């Protein structure tokens, strides 16, 4: 089992920045890819960004490319999501997820491990 705990959400104004963190514990050595997803009210959970744990390679959804940066700290078993130029469409609950799969899976069903989520609200 892998446990994930997110932190760093909050209420910010449009144009601001925010950094989310996700700490992994348990059998985290089996994890190949970690990712961030988000779910806005009334919408399905969708992919935001992913990072390969060993190589550090990353990929992003088009909607956040150039504004968000995903990174990892292997020593602390933690990944981060730096979010810049936030707008109201970024308002959502943000979830950290982990999987043993490679090749940047982007579907919710491909990730067996999930955090509890952290709320990000952007006011315009």
């Amino acid at each position: 089992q892998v446990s994930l705990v997110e932190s760093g959400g909050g209420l910010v104004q449009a144009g601001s920045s925010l950094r989310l963190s996700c700490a992994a514990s348990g059998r985290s050595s089996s994890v190949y890819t970690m990712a961030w997803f988000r779910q806005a009210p009334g919408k399905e959970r969708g992919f935001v960004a992913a990072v390969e744990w060993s190589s550090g390679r990353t990929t992003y959804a088009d909607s956040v490319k150039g504004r968000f940066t995903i990174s990892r700290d292997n020593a602390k078993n933690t990944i981060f999501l730096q979010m810049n130029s936030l707008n109201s469409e970024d308002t959502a609950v943000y979830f950290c997820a982990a999987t043993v799969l490679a090749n940047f899976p982007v579907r919710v069903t491909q990730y067996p491990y999930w955090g509890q989520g952290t709320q990000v609200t952007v006011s315009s």
Side-chain angles (χ1 to χ4, degrees):
Q1 281 290 343
V2 177
S3 296
L4 304 173
V5 179
E6 303 100 333
S7 61
L11 171 63
V12 296
Q13 291 187 331
S16 300
S17 299
L18 205 58
R19 189 173 87 150
L20 306 181
S21 301
C22 172
S25 61
R27 295 185 62 183
S28 56
S29 60
S30 64
V31 169
Y32 193 95
T33 305
M34 291 189 70
W36 289 97
F37 287 74
R38 66 186 181 184
Q39 187 166 18
K43 295 188 176 181
E44 293 186 352
R45 193 172 300 186
F47 174 80
V48 174
V51 59
E52 289 183 347
W53 193 248
S54 59
S55 70
R57 291 196 308 147
T58 59
T59 191
Y60 298 90
D62 288 343
S63 59
V64 305
K65 205 171 291 183
R67 298 188 300 124
F68 290 11
T69 302
I70 188 171
S71 60
R72 93 271 194 239
D73 183 332
N74 295 57
K76 296 182 178 180
N77 283 343
T78 300
I79 66 168
F80 306 95
L81 186 68
Q82 177 66 41
M83 305 185 293
N84 298 329
S85 301
L86 286 162
N87 58 63
S88 58
E89 294 186 349
D90 297 316
T91 294
V93 177
Y94 283 71
F95 296 90
C96 175
T99 182
V100 299
L101 301 177
N103 298 319
F104 293 123
V106 298
R107 295 197 300 269
V108 169
T109 54
Q110 293 174 302
Y111 288 80
Y113 306 111
W114 291 86
Q116 81 287 353
T118 185
Q119 177 71 48
V120 172
T121 303
V122 183
S123 63
S124 55

